[in-house]
Amino acid sequence: MTPTSARLLVTLGVVSAVAGWVVADMVDRIAGRSVPVPWTAPATLVILAVALVFWAFGTRRRLREGRVDPFVAARTAALAMAASRTGAMATGVYAGFLVWFVGQWWIEAARQRGLASLVAVVAGLLVVAAALWLERICRITTDSDDDDDGSSDADSAADWGHPRVG
């Protein structure tokens, strides 16, 4: 697995922001009302970010003690990659909603939904940050550039699945 790239996360965020703006505009045009943004949306993202942070602390501690199966570390890294992508998409969608609501800021309901969208954007960024940290904790170590047989330690570490303590 290759580490999550910032370019991918930014692309997902931008595409999701455009989609969020389009959805908000379509709901307004078709249904005649603004898209609902409940306060449970940012709350859920904050809970996910906190859970990822606790998972990262626990994983880091277990890795330092040598008590983590390499397959568990790989699965944790895959979960972190999925969470970073999910966080980027959620951030983008709520950013699109926020941009749409800013255009109607004088309306109280739009202002309230815009504030909820703003908090969701911040919470989504927290999810991305926590997920990237968890992914970094589970990376493979490299001790030196080459082994005696010419293969790199990254290749042999990846073959054996030895996780790095981050």
Side-chain angles (χ1 to χ4, degrees):
M1 289 190 314
T2 60
T4 300
S5 71
R7 180 186 299 180
L8 172 66
L9 296 178
V10 169
T11 301
L12 287 172
V14 169
V15 170
S16 297
V18 171
W21 186 88
V22 168
V23 166
D25 193 55
M26 285 179 57
V27 168
D28 181 61
R29 290 177 192 264
I30 294 171
R33 63 185 196 96
S34 62
V35 66
V37 181
W39 282 97
T40 55
T44 301
L45 290 170
V46 166
I47 290 169
L48 178 59
V50 169
L52 287 168
V53 166
F54 279 117
W55 193 322
F57 277 123
T59 300
R60 187 174 69 169
R61 182 180 44 80
R62 287 190 309 273
L63 280 169
R64 285 186 177 157
E65 295 170 357
R67 296 185 307 129
V68 175
D69 180 22
F71 292 110
V72 172
R75 289 181 184 133
T76 298
L79 171 94
M81 292 174 82
S84 67
R85 287 155 171 80
T86 301
M89 291 184 346
T91 299
V93 167
Y94 288 110
F97 288 172
L98 176 61
V99 169
W100 193 87
F101 287 126
V102 165
Q104 299 185 356
W105 207 251
W106 67 91
I107 301 170
E108 179 63 27
R111 191 168 39 252
Q112 291 298 321
R113 291 173 181 177
L115 289 174
S117 296
L118 176 63
V119 175
V121 167
V122 172
L125 291 173
L126 291 174
V127 169
V128 171
L132 289 175
W133 183 46
L134 180 58
E135 181 183 340
R136 185 176 189 284
I137 287 172
C138 295
R139 284 196 188 147
I140 304 296
T141 60
T142 57
D143 295 331
S144 66
D145 290 341
D146 290 316
D147 284 336
D148 295 333
D149 64 354
S151 67
S152 70
D153 279 347
D155 294 335
S156 62
D159 290 341
W160 292 100
H162 298 292
R164 176 182 75 80
V165 176

